[in-house]
Amino acid sequence: MLIRTHAYAAIGPGSPLQPFELDRRRPGSHDVLIDILFCGVCHSDIHQARDEWGGAVFPMVPGHEIIGRVASIGDEVRRWTVGDTVGVGVFVDSCRECEACVAGEEQYCERGMSPTYNGYARDGTTPNHGGYSERIVVDESYVLSMPPGITLDAAAPLLCAGITTYSPIRHFGVRAGEQAAVVGLGGLGHMAVKFLEALGTQVTVLSHSPAKREDAIRLGADDFVVTSEADWLASCDGRFDFIIDTVSATHDYNSYLRALRRDGTMVLVGLPGPSPLEAGPLVNGRRRLAGSMIGGIRETQEMLDFCAEHQIASDIEVIPIQQINDAYERTLRSDVRYRFVIDIESLRGPDRRVAGPVADTAAAR
Ligand code: NAP
Ligand code: ZN
Ligand code: ZN
């Protein structure tokens, strides 16, 4: 027997998101049924709902920044009890046997992790559906514990934007006192600023939106440079030990590489289309270019605990799901301060099928 669940879905790559119903499986012996409270809106949701990476699975219920409450558990579940506040991130299963899985880096599973949506369960045929829905069923090993004291709606974006920026900052050993830069002040970028500030680095935001200067400083940045000004590199040439690039749109990597000092590292986490890259800026200065994808379950839990300890959460705009298409448009215009989070209660009332009013961008700020 399946569990009928209200959701919002993209029916095809060109279609706006619309009301949709899906069936969740009954929890198996190791499963947890979670009533979803909040779900963050990641730019990856937009890339995938529009099939910008190819191979998308439709109909698609996006959403991988999920916060909810455990509603029921399978008979062998030991880690969770009914009523626990939990999180679910970008993947809901993996092979559990390969080197990456054994190392706790399930996101790099050699057989492919099972994404929370836009992909399949381990059987390779059952499509997974994400957090723009009333509830989800997840194996207990892929569920995160939300530490007490954390604000639930503002914590939702930690499940993707948080871990995606925390993991490379840790992995590449960024240290207090170093010069760090964040390219793009969006959902990921503003989390990177908060983590780098908490670790005691000197943080500079490199942004193409001059209006974000005040916010950047309030979020913890020490400096703000407008990259749409022709001579921006003059103040940044050879300056940074570490750069994290979160930009979602095609852009020229070469000028950002020139902003690294000798032996500096730039990590790409943004996933735009093809963007220009030359050997020169890497060769000159022995600079390094790397990439990084989300983080494993263990590291995601570590990040959540770090956030609770340092009182870090996301800056959010809460919306009912009926405003999701406007939220996508505003995200594409770099006009979100700094993450939309859907209040999933809006899927439960009798008004759930009613399209919401157009978001008033001025009032929302
Ligand atoms: P977002 O909130 O839309 O932020 C992206 C930021 O990029 C914008 O706020 C803007 O910052 C900058 N930007 C946008 N268009 C630009 C342009 N034409 N030129 C220069 N800068 C531009 O998106 P997000 O949710 O943070 O996601 C960012 C990217 O990371 C997406 O591609 C997403 O798919 C990817 N992602 C990757 C992972 C991973 O595991 N690696 C995980 C999650 C997301 P300014 O206004 O400050 O310039
Ligand atoms: Zn994401
Ligand atoms: Zn694996």
Side-chain angles (χ1 to χ4, degrees):
M1 246 238 297
L2 299 164
I3 310 168
R4 203 73 183 155
T5 297
H6 295 283
Y8 260 56
I11 304 305
S15 66
L17 271 67
Q18 57 187 261
F20 182 73
E21 290 182 21
L22 62 101
D23 291 318
R24 296 293 189 190
R25 66 178 185 265
R26 288 259 155 221
S29 52
H30 289 284
D31 282 340
V32 175
L33 172 67
I34 299 164
D35 283 340
I36 300 176
L37 300 171
F38 298 103
C39 185
V41 178
C42 180
H43 204 116
S44 299
D45 298 349
I46 305 175
H47 288 310
Q48 292 177 90
R50 300 184 176 194
D51 198 12
E52 290 171 359
W53 298 339
V57 182
F58 293 102
M60 180 193 300
V61 176
H64 58 207
E65 295 184 335
I66 298 168
I67 300 275
R69 281 224 170 78
V70 174
S72 74
I73 56 172
D75 50 16
E76 288 179 43
V77 169
R78 297 289 172 265
R79 297 178 195 208
W80 312 107
T81 52
V82 171
D84 283 350
T85 309
V86 295
V88 178
V90 177
F91 56 92
V92 289
D93 213 338
S94 65
C95 86
R96 309 172 193 218
E97 288 169 355
C98 73
E99 225 176 279
C101 284
V102 170
E105 301 207 296
E106 303 90 348
Q107 75 276 30
Y108 302 120
C109 175
E110 291 161 23
R111 289 172 201 145
M113 46 93 156
S114 294
T116 304
Y117 69 88
N118 190 25
Y120 297 97
R122 292 324 286 168
D123 64 8
T125 56
T126 309
N128 286 341
H129 288 300
Y132 299 2
S133 63
E134 290 174 284
R135 59 184 75 86
I136 190 167
V137 178
V138 182
D139 183 285
E140 62 169 328
S141 301
Y142 294 80
V143 173
L144 286 309
S145 170
M146 298 312 294
I150 211 156
T151 308
L152 295 183
D153 50 3
L158 301 178
L159 277 313
C160 177
I163 185 59
T164 300
T165 48
Y166 179 89
S167 181
I169 289 169
R170 287 304 212 192
H171 181 82
F172 291 98
V174 181
R175 291 191 305 271
E178 287 186 329
Q179 291 283 339
V182 177
V183 190
L185 193 65
L188 269 56
H190 92 291
M191 291 311 308
V193 170
K194 292 185 185 208
F195 290 133
L196 289 165
E197 203 262 336
L199 292 173
T201 64
Q202 292 290 307
V203 191
T204 299
V205 169
L206 306 177
S207 168
H208 85 312
S209 305
K212 294 182 182 175
R213 178 183 296 274
E214 258 180 51
D215 283 350
I217 303 300
R218 176 180 57 77
L219 290 163
D222 301 284
D223 197 2
F224 182 88
V225 174
V226 180
T227 55
S228 41
E229 286 172 5
D231 63 344
W232 73 269
L233 197 52
S235 66
C236 295
D237 205 11
R239 176 169 160 188
F240 302 110
D241 300 287
F242 177 81
I243 299 177
I244 182 165
D245 181 337
T246 75
V247 173
S248 52
T250 296
H251 59 297
D252 183 352
Y253 292 131
N254 299 296
S255 47
Y256 297 103
L257 285 170
R258 290 192 180 92
L260 283 176
R261 52 176 298 166
R262 178 171 52 85
D263 287 327
T265 301
M266 176 156 119
V267 180
L268 307 182
V269 290
L271 285 163
S275 298
L277 174 66
E278 290 163 20
L282 284 169
V283 170
N284 185 4
R286 199 163 50 197
R287 295 160 170 137
R288 280 176 287 233
L289 179 63
S292 185
M293 187 166 72
I294 41 176
I297 293 292
R298 189 171 58 224
E299 193 177 38
T300 305
Q301 191 62 59
E302 176 192 306
M303 178 274 310
L304 290 170
D305 297 341
F306 180 91
C307 287
E309 187 188 332
H310 293 265
Q311 306 220 310
I312 291 175
S314 192
D315 284 32
I316 57 168
E317 296 184 38
V318 178
I319 54 162
I321 199 152
Q322 293 78 8
Q323 289 179 3
I324 189 64
N325 293 304
D326 295 318
Y328 276 18
E329 291 307 321
R330 282 188 50 202
T331 302
L332 288 166
R333 293 199 301 269
S334 306
D335 178 26
V336 45
R337 303 291 194 271
Y338 277 87
R339 196 59 140 189
F340 286 110
V341 171
I342 304 163
D343 181 350
I344 295 297
E345 199 52 38
S346 58
L347 260 177
R348 297 200 173 90
D351 298 336
R352 65 179 157 236
R353 301 190 68 85
V354 180
V358 173
D360 180 339
T361 54
R365 267 177 247 145

